[in-house]
Amino acid sequence: AKTLGRARYSYFHSELNSRLQANLELEQELAYAIGHDQLVLHYQPQVSAKTGEMVAVEALVRWQHPTRGLLYPAQFIGLAEESGRIAEMGVWTLREACRQLADWSARGIHIGNMAVNVSALEFRDHRLLDSLQAALDASGIPPQRLEIEITESVLMAETETSQRIIERLRQIGVGIAIDDFGTGYSSLAYLKRLRPNQLKIDRSFVNDTATDSDSRAIVKGVVGLAEALSLNVVAEGVETEEQRAFLQDIGCHTLQGYWIAKPLTVEALEQWLLNRRT
Ligand code: C2E
Ligand code: CA
Ligand code: CA
Ligand code: CA
């Protein structure tokens, strides 16, 4: 049993080592990727539940890795956060999303607002504001058309820095959306203080609305809360017609999910818009 234990230990040990090695490699590649056009944004439409009209897109980052193929955030955001590259990635994302929005505007393509995810870690650093302002200035898009999506984890660890950043964001005039609403453990007190523009109901609740009356009650409750506070409410992860109908029924304003469209490349989104009109 002892030798087995030792064998197992060294197995785990080498397993761990090779995983660390792989991470180190990926981390160095990520540093390179950010400056060398390997990151790309895909855009997922958000539509009005009432009219079906597109009101916004959410920018979602992908990494076009030269040998590993298209990587999704789950495969590298954690690494970017651990290695301190997330700020750099965030700067790129804000700039690229604003640039793309300006480009669509210039070409007369109406896509509504642009939502960008900002990681909790970025709220620890005032430079976030500089890069945001720079992205707005360079693109010339009105601040009101940009929505910053933050998760409740930003608010749970609300520090003086993050508080001040959020206040400044409001002054600049960009929108603030609370992402994955209902999955964090923060109290609702922050809603009063922070006055976000938008709540995004997490897809775990939306998913279960067809089968689970508790989930239906929660989603209804969030829509009611948003209504009472005059906030816009977005349901994410809408995957079926049944879910769509329920959400429309209870007065949810905005819908996002595979039922409407997956996250799309720039070209695919433009094609999607054309197809819808015909
Ligand atoms: P999120 O902000 O909650 O984004 C929604 C995720 O759900 C996206 O995954 C999207 O592709 C996926 N999704 C959309 N509709 C559906 C649906 O109907 N069904 C299902 N099953 N999934 C759906 P994605 O693109 O893999 O992004 C995962 C997470 O990575 C995002 O979650 C966000 O937290 C983070 N992320 C993405 N882009 C960025 C970025 O530029 N910066 C930062 N800091 N985080 C990002
Ligand atoms: Ca989001
Ligand atoms: Ca979300
Ligand atoms: Ca999420």
Side-chain angles (χ1 to χ4, degrees), residues 41 44 58-62 72-74 77 86 89 93 116-119 122 149 179-180 203 236-239 256-259 261 263:
L41 295 179
Q44 187 174 36
E58 177 178 0
L60 295 155
V61 70
R62 275 92 181 90
Y72 287 81
I77 294 264
I86 190 72
M89 221 187 80
T93 305
V116 175
N117 294 281
V118 177
S119 156
E122 292 176 70
E149 297 200 357
D179 207 353
D180 303 346
R203 76 159 179 268
E236 358 174 80
V238 182
E239 291 183 352
Q256 178 179 356
Y258 295 167
W259 180 254

PDB file of all heavy atoms in Angstrom, residues 41 44 58-62 72-74 77 86 89 93 116-119 122 149 179-180 203 236-239 256-259 261 263, ligand 1:
ATOM      1  N   LEU A  41     -13.301  39.613 -30.687  1.00  0.00           N
ATOM      2  CA  LEU A  41     -14.570  39.709 -29.970  1.00  0.00           C
ATOM      3  C   LEU A  41     -15.684  39.129 -30.827  1.00  0.00           C
ATOM      4  O   LEU A  41     -15.759  39.392 -32.029  1.00  0.00           O
ATOM      5  CB  LEU A  41     -14.882  41.176 -29.636  1.00  0.00           C
ATOM      6  CG  LEU A  41     -13.920  41.858 -28.672  1.00  0.00           C
ATOM      7  CD1 LEU A  41     -14.316  43.318 -28.449  1.00  0.00           C
ATOM      8  CD2 LEU A  41     -13.876  41.118 -27.330  1.00  0.00           C
ATOM      9  N   GLN A  44     -22.993  39.007 -29.166  1.00  0.00           N
ATOM     10  CA  GLN A  44     -24.282  38.337 -29.044  1.00  0.00           C
ATOM     11  C   GLN A  44     -25.399  39.368 -28.918  1.00  0.00           C
ATOM     12  O   GLN A  44     -25.372  40.227 -28.035  1.00  0.00           O
ATOM     13  CB  GLN A  44     -24.292  37.407 -27.824  1.00  0.00           C
ATOM     14  CG  GLN A  44     -25.560  36.560 -27.775  1.00  0.00           C
ATOM     15  CD  GLN A  44     -25.553  35.526 -26.668  1.00  0.00           C
ATOM     16  OE1 GLN A  44     -25.032  35.768 -25.579  1.00  0.00           O
ATOM     17  NE2 GLN A  44     -26.165  34.389 -26.928  1.00  0.00           N
ATOM     18  N   GLU A  58     -23.631  42.085 -26.719  1.00  0.00           N
ATOM     19  CA  GLU A  58     -22.617  41.890 -25.685  1.00  0.00           C
ATOM     20  C   GLU A  58     -21.347  41.377 -26.350  1.00  0.00           C
ATOM     21  O   GLU A  58     -21.382  40.407 -27.109  1.00  0.00           O
ATOM     22  CB  GLU A  58     -23.087  40.880 -24.627  1.00  0.00           C
ATOM     23  CG  GLU A  58     -22.012  40.612 -23.568  1.00  0.00           C
ATOM     24  CD  GLU A  58     -22.447  39.647 -22.466  1.00  0.00           C
ATOM     25  OE1 GLU A  58     -23.600  39.162 -22.493  1.00  0.00           O
ATOM     26  OE2 GLU A  58     -21.610  39.390 -21.570  1.00  0.00           O
ATOM     27  N   ALA A  59     -20.231  42.035 -26.061  1.00  0.00           N
ATOM     28  CA  ALA A  59     -18.939  41.617 -26.598  1.00  0.00           C
ATOM     29  C   ALA A  59     -18.379  40.490 -25.735  1.00  0.00           C
ATOM     30  O   ALA A  59     -18.309  40.613 -24.520  1.00  0.00           O
ATOM     31  CB  ALA A  59     -17.975  42.803 -26.599  1.00  0.00           C
ATOM     32  N   LEU A  60     -18.006  39.380 -26.380  1.00  0.00           N
ATOM     33  CA  LEU A  60     -17.452  38.232 -25.658  1.00  0.00           C
ATOM     34  C   LEU A  60     -16.117  37.852 -26.292  1.00  0.00           C
ATOM     35  O   LEU A  60     -16.034  37.629 -27.497  1.00  0.00           O
ATOM     36  CB  LEU A  60     -18.451  37.067 -25.709  1.00  0.00           C
ATOM     37  CG  LEU A  60     -19.770  37.361 -24.975  1.00  0.00           C
ATOM     38  CD1 LEU A  60     -20.912  36.523 -25.513  1.00  0.00           C
ATOM     39  CD2 LEU A  60     -19.614  37.159 -23.466  1.00  0.00           C
ATOM     40  N   VAL A  61     -15.101  37.808 -25.457  1.00  0.00           N
ATOM     41  CA  VAL A  61     -13.751  37.642 -25.990  1.00  0.00           C
ATOM     42  C   VAL A  61     -13.444  36.184 -26.328  1.00  0.00           C
ATOM     43  O   VAL A  61     -13.918  35.260 -25.655  1.00  0.00           O
ATOM     44  CB  VAL A  61     -12.699  38.203 -24.992  1.00  0.00           C
ATOM     45  CG1 VAL A  61     -12.595  37.346 -23.745  1.00  0.00           C
ATOM     46  CG2 VAL A  61     -11.332  38.375 -25.655  1.00  0.00           C
ATOM     47  N   ARG A  62     -12.703  35.957 -27.403  1.00  0.00           N
ATOM     48  CA  ARG A  62     -12.176  34.653 -27.801  1.00  0.00           C
ATOM     49  C   ARG A  62     -10.712  34.830 -28.155  1.00  0.00           C
ATOM     50  O   ARG A  62     -10.288  35.909 -28.538  1.00  0.00           O
ATOM     51  CB  ARG A  62     -12.910  34.092 -29.035  1.00  0.00           C
ATOM     52  CG  ARG A  62     -14.202  33.345 -28.715  1.00  0.00           C
ATOM     53  CD  ARG A  62     -15.373  34.293 -28.764  1.00  0.00           C
ATOM     54  NE  ARG A  62     -16.656  33.681 -28.452  1.00  0.00           N
ATOM     55  CZ  ARG A  62     -17.176  33.603 -27.217  1.00  0.00           C
ATOM     56  NH1 ARG A  62     -16.540  34.074 -26.168  1.00  0.00           N
ATOM     57  NH2 ARG A  62     -18.354  33.051 -27.017  1.00  0.00           N
ATOM     58  N   TYR A  72     -12.101  29.668 -25.621  1.00  0.00           N
ATOM     59  CA  TYR A  72     -13.191  30.408 -24.991  1.00  0.00           C
ATOM     60  C   TYR A  72     -12.747  30.967 -23.644  1.00  0.00           C
ATOM     61  O   TYR A  72     -11.772  30.472 -23.062  1.00  0.00           O
ATOM     62  CB  TYR A  72     -14.415  29.492 -24.855  1.00  0.00           C
ATOM     63  CG  TYR A  72     -15.066  29.274 -26.199  1.00  0.00           C
ATOM     64  CD1 TYR A  72     -14.560  28.340 -27.098  1.00  0.00           C
ATOM     65  CD2 TYR A  72     -16.146  30.051 -26.591  1.00  0.00           C
ATOM     66  CE1 TYR A  72     -15.113  28.177 -28.347  1.00  0.00           C
ATOM     67  CE2 TYR A  72     -16.714  29.904 -27.841  1.00  0.00           C
ATOM     68  CZ  TYR A  72     -16.201  28.967 -28.712  1.00  0.00           C
ATOM     69  OH  TYR A  72     -16.753  28.830 -29.954  1.00  0.00           O
ATOM     70  N   PRO A  73     -13.457  31.974 -23.154  1.00  0.00           N
ATOM     71  CA  PRO A  73     -13.035  32.632 -21.905  1.00  0.00           C
ATOM     72  C   PRO A  73     -12.744  31.647 -20.771  1.00  0.00           C
ATOM     73  O   PRO A  73     -11.792  31.854 -20.021  1.00  0.00           O
ATOM     74  CB  PRO A  73     -14.222  33.521 -21.556  1.00  0.00           C
ATOM     75  CG  PRO A  73     -14.876  33.810 -22.847  1.00  0.00           C
ATOM     76  CD  PRO A  73     -14.649  32.628 -23.734  1.00  0.00           C
ATOM     77  N   ALA A  74     -13.524  30.600 -20.653  1.00  0.00           N
ATOM     78  CA  ALA A  74     -13.314  29.646 -19.562  1.00  0.00           C
ATOM     79  C   ALA A  74     -11.907  29.055 -19.617  1.00  0.00           C
ATOM     80  O   ALA A  74     -11.373  28.619 -18.603  1.00  0.00           O
ATOM     81  CB  ALA A  74     -14.356  28.539 -19.634  1.00  0.00           C
ATOM     82  N   ILE A  77      -9.507  33.158 -19.160  1.00  0.00           N
ATOM     83  CA  ILE A  77      -9.752  34.340 -18.318  1.00  0.00           C
ATOM     84  C   ILE A  77      -9.160  34.140 -16.919  1.00  0.00           C
ATOM     85  O   ILE A  77      -8.523  35.033 -16.369  1.00  0.00           O
ATOM     86  CB  ILE A  77     -11.263  34.654 -18.197  1.00  0.00           C
ATOM     87  CG1 ILE A  77     -11.814  35.080 -19.559  1.00  0.00           C
ATOM     88  CG2 ILE A  77     -11.498  35.747 -17.154  1.00  0.00           C
ATOM     89  CD1 ILE A  77     -11.895  36.553 -19.802  1.00  0.00           C
ATOM     90  N   ILE A  86      -5.030  40.420 -16.991  1.00  0.00           N
ATOM     91  CA  ILE A  86      -6.439  40.740 -17.240  1.00  0.00           C
ATOM     92  C   ILE A  86      -6.635  42.234 -17.532  1.00  0.00           C
ATOM     93  O   ILE A  86      -7.476  42.593 -18.360  1.00  0.00           O
ATOM     94  CB  ILE A  86      -7.349  40.273 -16.062  1.00  0.00           C
ATOM     95  CG1 ILE A  86      -8.828  40.381 -16.426  1.00  0.00           C
ATOM     96  CG2 ILE A  86      -7.051  41.043 -14.778  1.00  0.00           C
ATOM     97  CD1 ILE A  86      -9.315  39.357 -17.416  1.00  0.00           C
ATOM     98  N   MET A  89      -5.761  42.870 -21.056  1.00  0.00           N
ATOM     99  CA  MET A  89      -6.798  42.303 -21.892  1.00  0.00           C
ATOM    100  C   MET A  89      -8.031  43.205 -21.883  1.00  0.00           C
ATOM    101  O   MET A  89      -8.683  43.404 -22.909  1.00  0.00           O
ATOM    102  CB  MET A  89      -7.167  40.916 -21.368  1.00  0.00           C
ATOM    103  CG  MET A  89      -7.387  39.908 -22.438  1.00  0.00           C
ATOM    104  SD  MET A  89      -7.997  38.386 -21.704  1.00  0.00           S
ATOM    105  CE  MET A  89      -9.694  38.832 -21.491  1.00  0.00           C
ATOM    106  N   THR A  93     -10.001  44.988 -24.914  1.00  0.00           N
ATOM    107  CA  THR A  93     -11.417  44.690 -25.127  1.00  0.00           C
ATOM    108  C   THR A  93     -12.257  45.962 -25.231  1.00  0.00           C
ATOM    109  O   THR A  93     -13.080  46.103 -26.137  1.00  0.00           O
ATOM    110  CB  THR A  93     -11.961  43.804 -23.987  1.00  0.00           C
ATOM    111  OG1 THR A  93     -11.147  42.634 -23.899  1.00  0.00           O
ATOM    112  CG2 THR A  93     -13.394  43.404 -24.228  1.00  0.00           C
ATOM    113  N   VAL A 116     -19.903  45.433 -22.433  1.00  0.00           N
ATOM    114  CA  VAL A 116     -18.561  44.869 -22.278  1.00  0.00           C
ATOM    115  C   VAL A 116     -18.405  44.333 -20.851  1.00  0.00           C
ATOM    116  O   VAL A 116     -18.783  44.996 -19.885  1.00  0.00           O
ATOM    117  CB  VAL A 116     -17.480  45.943 -22.558  1.00  0.00           C
ATOM    118  CG1 VAL A 116     -16.083  45.402 -22.286  1.00  0.00           C
ATOM    119  CG2 VAL A 116     -17.580  46.450 -23.997  1.00  0.00           C
ATOM    120  N   ASN A 117     -17.865  43.129 -20.749  1.00  0.00           N
ATOM    121  CA  ASN A 117     -17.621  42.541 -19.433  1.00  0.00           C
ATOM    122  C   ASN A 117     -16.326  43.077 -18.845  1.00  0.00           C
ATOM    123  O   ASN A 117     -15.302  43.097 -19.515  1.00  0.00           O
ATOM    124  CB  ASN A 117     -17.505  41.020 -19.548  1.00  0.00           C
ATOM    125  CG  ASN A 117     -18.814  40.391 -19.973  1.00  0.00           C
ATOM    126  OD1 ASN A 117     -19.720  40.222 -19.168  1.00  0.00           O
ATOM    127  ND2 ASN A 117     -18.918  40.072 -21.261  1.00  0.00           N
ATOM    128  N   VAL A 118     -16.393  43.486 -17.596  1.00  0.00           N
ATOM    129  CA  VAL A 118     -15.178  43.923 -16.922  1.00  0.00           C
ATOM    130  C   VAL A 118     -15.004  43.081 -15.664  1.00  0.00           C
ATOM    131  O   VAL A 118     -15.919  42.974 -14.836  1.00  0.00           O
ATOM    132  CB  VAL A 118     -15.223  45.430 -16.589  1.00  0.00           C
ATOM    133  CG1 VAL A 118     -13.979  45.841 -15.812  1.00  0.00           C
ATOM    134  CG2 VAL A 118     -15.328  46.257 -17.873  1.00  0.00           C
ATOM    135  N   SER A 119     -13.844  42.473 -15.563  1.00  0.00           N
ATOM    136  CA  SER A 119     -13.559  41.553 -14.460  1.00  0.00           C
ATOM    137  C   SER A 119     -13.425  42.301 -13.128  1.00  0.00           C
ATOM    138  O   SER A 119     -12.977  43.444 -13.076  1.00  0.00           O
ATOM    139  CB  SER A 119     -12.274  40.801 -14.790  1.00  0.00           C
ATOM    140  OG  SER A 119     -11.655  40.340 -13.633  1.00  0.00           O
ATOM    141  N   GLU A 122     -10.246  44.122 -12.291  1.00  0.00           N
ATOM    142  CA  GLU A 122      -9.960  45.409 -12.931  1.00  0.00           C
ATOM    143  C   GLU A 122     -10.490  46.573 -12.111  1.00  0.00           C
ATOM    144  O   GLU A 122     -10.051  47.709 -12.287  1.00  0.00           O
ATOM    145  CB  GLU A 122     -10.559  45.445 -14.339  1.00  0.00           C
ATOM    146  CG  GLU A 122      -9.887  44.485 -15.295  1.00  0.00           C
ATOM    147  CD  GLU A 122     -10.576  44.492 -16.643  1.00  0.00           C
ATOM    148  OE1 GLU A 122     -10.456  45.491 -17.351  1.00  0.00           O
ATOM    149  OE2 GLU A 122     -11.258  43.498 -16.968  1.00  0.00           O
ATOM    150  N   GLU A 149     -20.587  45.565 -17.838  1.00  0.00           N
ATOM    151  CA  GLU A 149     -21.198  44.471 -17.079  1.00  0.00           C
ATOM    152  C   GLU A 149     -20.270  44.065 -15.934  1.00  0.00           C
ATOM    153  O   GLU A 149     -19.126  43.672 -16.163  1.00  0.00           O
ATOM    154  CB  GLU A 149     -21.473  43.267 -17.999  1.00  0.00           C
ATOM    155  CG  GLU A 149     -22.479  43.597 -19.088  1.00  0.00           C
ATOM    156  CD  GLU A 149     -23.122  42.364 -19.701  1.00  0.00           C
ATOM    157  OE1 GLU A 149     -22.761  41.221 -19.337  1.00  0.00           O
ATOM    158  OE2 GLU A 149     -24.008  42.551 -20.564  1.00  0.00           O
ATOM    159  N   ASP A 179     -24.267  41.690 -13.802  1.00  0.00           N
ATOM    160  CA  ASP A 179     -24.259  40.423 -14.531  1.00  0.00           C
ATOM    161  C   ASP A 179     -24.550  39.267 -13.573  1.00  0.00           C
ATOM    162  O   ASP A 179     -24.281  39.363 -12.386  1.00  0.00           O
ATOM    163  CB  ASP A 179     -22.864  40.247 -15.146  1.00  0.00           C
ATOM    164  CG  ASP A 179     -22.884  39.391 -16.394  1.00  0.00           C
ATOM    165  OD1 ASP A 179     -23.944  38.811 -16.719  1.00  0.00           O
ATOM    166  OD2 ASP A 179     -21.833  39.307 -17.050  1.00  0.00           O
ATOM    167  N   ASP A 180     -25.069  38.173 -14.107  1.00  0.00           N
ATOM    168  CA  ASP A 180     -25.315  36.959 -13.316  1.00  0.00           C
ATOM    169  C   ASP A 180     -26.111  37.286 -12.053  1.00  0.00           C
ATOM    170  O   ASP A 180     -25.847  36.726 -10.983  1.00  0.00           O
ATOM    171  CB  ASP A 180     -23.989  36.290 -12.904  1.00  0.00           C
ATOM    172  CG  ASP A 180     -23.110  35.947 -14.099  1.00  0.00           C
ATOM    173  OD1 ASP A 180     -23.613  35.973 -15.234  1.00  0.00           O
ATOM    174  OD2 ASP A 180     -21.926  35.657 -13.890  1.00  0.00           O
ATOM    175  N   ARG A 203     -28.470  32.805 -16.305  1.00  0.00           N
ATOM    176  CA  ARG A 203     -29.135  31.809 -17.145  1.00  0.00           C
ATOM    177  C   ARG A 203     -29.537  30.556 -16.376  1.00  0.00           C
ATOM    178  O   ARG A 203     -30.408  29.810 -16.818  1.00  0.00           O
ATOM    179  CB  ARG A 203     -28.299  31.482 -18.361  1.00  0.00           C
ATOM    180  CG  ARG A 203     -27.121  30.593 -18.143  1.00  0.00           C
ATOM    181  CD  ARG A 203     -26.724  29.966 -19.482  1.00  0.00           C
ATOM    182  NE  ARG A 203     -25.570  29.114 -19.290  1.00  0.00           N
ATOM    183  CZ  ARG A 203     -24.319  29.528 -19.438  1.00  0.00           C
ATOM    184  NH1 ARG A 203     -24.070  30.761 -19.790  1.00  0.00           N
ATOM    185  NH2 ARG A 203     -23.330  28.702 -19.219  1.00  0.00           N
ATOM    186  N   GLU A 236     -30.717  36.253 -19.562  1.00  0.00           N
ATOM    187  CA  GLU A 236     -29.681  35.607 -20.375  1.00  0.00           C
ATOM    188  C   GLU A 236     -29.938  34.120 -20.506  1.00  0.00           C
ATOM    189  O   GLU A 236     -30.649  33.525 -19.716  1.00  0.00           O
ATOM    190  CB  GLU A 236     -28.256  35.752 -19.836  1.00  0.00           C
ATOM    191  CG  GLU A 236     -27.963  36.520 -18.629  1.00  0.00           C
ATOM    192  CD  GLU A 236     -26.476  36.369 -18.258  1.00  0.00           C
ATOM    193  OE1 GLU A 236     -25.699  37.077 -18.889  1.00  0.00           O
ATOM    194  OE2 GLU A 236     -26.124  35.587 -17.365  1.00  0.00           O
ATOM    195  N   GLY A 237     -29.354  33.540 -21.525  1.00  0.00           N
ATOM    196  CA  GLY A 237     -29.452  32.094 -21.696  1.00  0.00           C
ATOM    197  C   GLY A 237     -30.825  31.625 -22.126  1.00  0.00           C
ATOM    198  O   GLY A 237     -31.260  30.540 -21.765  1.00  0.00           O
ATOM    199  N   VAL A 238     -31.530  32.456 -22.898  1.00  0.00           N
ATOM    200  CA  VAL A 238     -32.839  32.051 -23.408  1.00  0.00           C
ATOM    201  C   VAL A 238     -32.610  31.047 -24.540  1.00  0.00           C
ATOM    202  O   VAL A 238     -32.020  31.387 -25.567  1.00  0.00           O
ATOM    203  CB  VAL A 238     -33.634  33.266 -23.938  1.00  0.00           C
ATOM    204  CG1 VAL A 238     -35.006  32.839 -24.421  1.00  0.00           C
ATOM    205  CG2 VAL A 238     -33.725  34.337 -22.865  1.00  0.00           C
ATOM    206  N   GLU A 239     -33.034  29.819 -24.318  1.00  0.00           N
ATOM    207  CA  GLU A 239     -32.707  28.750 -25.279  1.00  0.00           C
ATOM    208  C   GLU A 239     -33.914  28.151 -25.982  1.00  0.00           C
ATOM    209  O   GLU A 239     -33.758  27.418 -26.952  1.00  0.00           O
ATOM    210  CB  GLU A 239     -31.939  27.622 -24.563  1.00  0.00           C
ATOM    211  CG  GLU A 239     -30.541  28.020 -24.124  1.00  0.00           C
ATOM    212  CD  GLU A 239     -29.762  26.888 -23.484  1.00  0.00           C
ATOM    213  OE1 GLU A 239     -30.361  25.812 -23.245  1.00  0.00           O
ATOM    214  OE2 GLU A 239     -28.568  27.082 -23.224  1.00  0.00           O
ATOM    215  N   GLN A 256     -31.658  37.600 -24.309  1.00  0.00           N
ATOM    216  CA  GLN A 256     -30.368  37.235 -24.896  1.00  0.00           C
ATOM    217  C   GLN A 256     -30.213  35.725 -24.740  1.00  0.00           C
ATOM    218  O   GLN A 256     -30.508  35.179 -23.688  1.00  0.00           O
ATOM    219  CB  GLN A 256     -29.243  37.965 -24.140  1.00  0.00           C
ATOM    220  CG  GLN A 256     -27.852  37.640 -24.626  1.00  0.00           C
ATOM    221  CD  GLN A 256     -26.763  38.418 -23.856  1.00  0.00           C
ATOM    222  OE1 GLN A 256     -27.072  39.252 -22.997  1.00  0.00           O
ATOM    223  NE2 GLN A 256     -25.516  38.133 -24.157  1.00  0.00           N
ATOM    224  N   GLY A 257     -29.771  35.067 -25.776  1.00  0.00           N
ATOM    225  CA  GLY A 257     -29.563  33.622 -25.663  1.00  0.00           C
ATOM    226  C   GLY A 257     -29.573  32.942 -27.015  1.00  0.00           C
ATOM    227  O   GLY A 257     -29.881  33.567 -28.040  1.00  0.00           O
ATOM    228  N   TYR A 258     -29.242  31.661 -27.008  1.00  0.00           N
ATOM    229  CA  TYR A 258     -29.117  30.906 -28.251  1.00  0.00           C
ATOM    230  C   TYR A 258     -30.416  30.906 -29.059  1.00  0.00           C
ATOM    231  O   TYR A 258     -30.394  30.777 -30.273  1.00  0.00           O
ATOM    232  CB  TYR A 258     -28.693  29.462 -27.959  1.00  0.00           C
ATOM    233  CG  TYR A 258     -27.307  29.319 -27.362  1.00  0.00           C
ATOM    234  CD1 TYR A 258     -26.897  28.102 -26.805  1.00  0.00           C
ATOM    235  CD2 TYR A 258     -26.404  30.384 -27.356  1.00  0.00           C
ATOM    236  CE1 TYR A 258     -25.626  27.953 -26.263  1.00  0.00           C
ATOM    237  CE2 TYR A 258     -25.132  30.248 -26.813  1.00  0.00           C
ATOM    238  CZ  TYR A 258     -24.745  29.028 -26.275  1.00  0.00           C
ATOM    239  OH  TYR A 258     -23.497  28.869 -25.733  1.00  0.00           O
ATOM    240  N   TRP A 259     -31.561  31.018 -28.374  1.00  0.00           N
ATOM    241  CA  TRP A 259     -32.827  31.033 -29.109  1.00  0.00           C
ATOM    242  C   TRP A 259     -32.888  32.219 -30.063  1.00  0.00           C
ATOM    243  O   TRP A 259     -33.469  32.134 -31.155  1.00  0.00           O
ATOM    244  CB  TRP A 259     -34.027  31.084 -28.143  1.00  0.00           C
ATOM    245  CG  TRP A 259     -35.338  31.101 -28.866  1.00  0.00           C
ATOM    246  CD1 TRP A 259     -36.182  32.152 -29.034  1.00  0.00           C
ATOM    247  CD2 TRP A 259     -35.941  29.988 -29.552  1.00  0.00           C
ATOM    248  NE1 TRP A 259     -37.263  31.791 -29.778  1.00  0.00           N
ATOM    249  CE2 TRP A 259     -37.150  30.467 -30.109  1.00  0.00           C
ATOM    250  CE3 TRP A 259     -35.579  28.654 -29.737  1.00  0.00           C
ATOM    251  CZ2 TRP A 259     -38.000  29.638 -30.839  1.00  0.00           C
ATOM    252  CZ3 TRP A 259     -36.419  27.836 -30.468  1.00  0.00           C
ATOM    253  CH2 TRP A 259     -37.625  28.338 -31.008  1.00  0.00           C
ATOM    254  N   ALA A 261     -29.855  34.298 -30.867  1.00  0.00           N
ATOM    255  CA  ALA A 261     -28.620  34.110 -31.636  1.00  0.00           C
ATOM    256  C   ALA A 261     -27.473  33.753 -30.714  1.00  0.00           C
ATOM    257  O   ALA A 261     -27.438  34.177 -29.564  1.00  0.00           O
ATOM    258  CB  ALA A 261     -28.266  35.377 -32.415  1.00  0.00           C
ATOM    259  N   PRO A 263     -23.334  33.983 -29.842  1.00  0.00           N
ATOM    260  CA  PRO A 263     -22.337  35.033 -30.084  1.00  0.00           C
ATOM    261  C   PRO A 263     -21.778  34.857 -31.500  1.00  0.00           C
ATOM    262  O   PRO A 263     -21.472  33.742 -31.913  1.00  0.00           O
ATOM    263  CB  PRO A 263     -21.256  34.736 -29.033  1.00  0.00           C
ATOM    264  CG  PRO A 263     -21.951  33.962 -27.963  1.00  0.00           C
ATOM    265  CD  PRO A 263     -22.981  33.145 -28.679  1.00  0.00           C
TER     266      PRO A 263
HETATM  267  P1  C2E B   1     -21.242  35.994 -19.162  1.00  0.00           P
HETATM  268  O1  C2E B   1     -20.881  37.432 -19.104  1.00  0.00           O
HETATM  269  O2  C2E B   1     -22.298  35.508 -18.240  1.00  0.00           O
HETATM  270  O3  C2E B   1     -21.592  35.722 -20.682  1.00  0.00           O
HETATM  271  C1  C2E B   1     -22.585  34.851 -21.114  1.00  0.00           C
HETATM  272  C2  C2E B   1     -22.021  33.512 -21.512  1.00  0.00           C
HETATM  273  O4  C2E B   1     -23.109  32.638 -21.782  1.00  0.00           O
HETATM  274  C3  C2E B   1     -21.189  33.543 -22.787  1.00  0.00           C
HETATM  275  O5  C2E B   1     -20.194  32.545 -22.675  1.00  0.00           O
HETATM  276  C4  C2E B   1     -22.212  33.161 -23.850  1.00  0.00           C
HETATM  277  O6  C2E B   1     -21.639  32.594 -25.007  1.00  0.00           O
HETATM  278  C5  C2E B   1     -23.031  32.152 -23.107  1.00  0.00           C
HETATM  279  N1  C2E B   1     -24.400  32.055 -23.602  1.00  0.00           N
HETATM  280  C6  C2E B   1     -25.127  33.009 -24.234  1.00  0.00           C
HETATM  281  N2  C2E B   1     -26.371  32.566 -24.527  1.00  0.00           N
HETATM  282  C7  C2E B   1     -26.435  31.298 -24.067  1.00  0.00           C
HETATM  283  C8  C2E B   1     -27.465  30.284 -24.078  1.00  0.00           C
HETATM  284  O7  C2E B   1     -28.589  30.473 -24.564  1.00  0.00           O
HETATM  285  N3  C2E B   1     -27.157  29.096 -23.497  1.00  0.00           N
HETATM  286  C9  C2E B   1     -25.937  28.840 -22.953  1.00  0.00           C
HETATM  287  N4  C2E B   1     -25.729  27.639 -22.427  1.00  0.00           N
HETATM  288  N5  C2E B   1     -24.944  29.774 -22.926  1.00  0.00           N
HETATM  289  C10 C2E B   1     -25.192  30.978 -23.482  1.00  0.00           C
HETATM  290  P2  C2E B   1     -18.685  32.826 -23.042  1.00  0.00           P
HETATM  291  O8  C2E B   1     -18.587  33.698 -24.247  1.00  0.00           O
HETATM  292  O9  C2E B   1     -17.979  31.515 -23.057  1.00  0.00           O
HETATM  293  O10 C2E B   1     -18.180  33.694 -21.825  1.00  0.00           O
HETATM  294  C11 C2E B   1     -18.107  33.155 -20.543  1.00  0.00           C
HETATM  295  C12 C2E B   1     -17.801  34.217 -19.518  1.00  0.00           C
HETATM  296  O11 C2E B   1     -16.496  34.765 -19.722  1.00  0.00           O
HETATM  297  C13 C2E B   1     -18.736  35.406 -19.574  1.00  0.00           C
HETATM  298  O12 C2E B   1     -19.925  35.092 -18.896  1.00  0.00           O
HETATM  299  C14 C2E B   1     -17.910  36.465 -18.886  1.00  0.00           C
HETATM  300  O13 C2E B   1     -18.024  36.356 -17.495  1.00  0.00           O
HETATM  301  C15 C2E B   1     -16.509  36.086 -19.296  1.00  0.00           C
HETATM  302  N6  C2E B   1     -16.077  36.978 -20.406  1.00  0.00           N
HETATM  303  C16 C2E B   1     -16.370  36.900 -21.723  1.00  0.00           C
HETATM  304  N7  C2E B   1     -15.768  37.904 -22.407  1.00  0.00           N
HETATM  305  C17 C2E B   1     -15.089  38.626 -21.489  1.00  0.00           C
HETATM  306  C18 C2E B   1     -14.267  39.803 -21.563  1.00  0.00           C
HETATM  307  O14 C2E B   1     -14.056  40.410 -22.618  1.00  0.00           O
HETATM  308  N8  C2E B   1     -13.729  40.250 -20.384  1.00  0.00           N
HETATM  309  C19 C2E B   1     -13.948  39.639 -19.190  1.00  0.00           C
HETATM  310  N9  C2E B   1     -13.395  40.146 -18.080  1.00  0.00           N
HETATM  311  N10 C2E B   1     -14.727  38.554 -19.091  1.00  0.00           N
HETATM  312  C20 C2E B   1     -15.285  38.040 -20.219  1.00  0.00           C
END
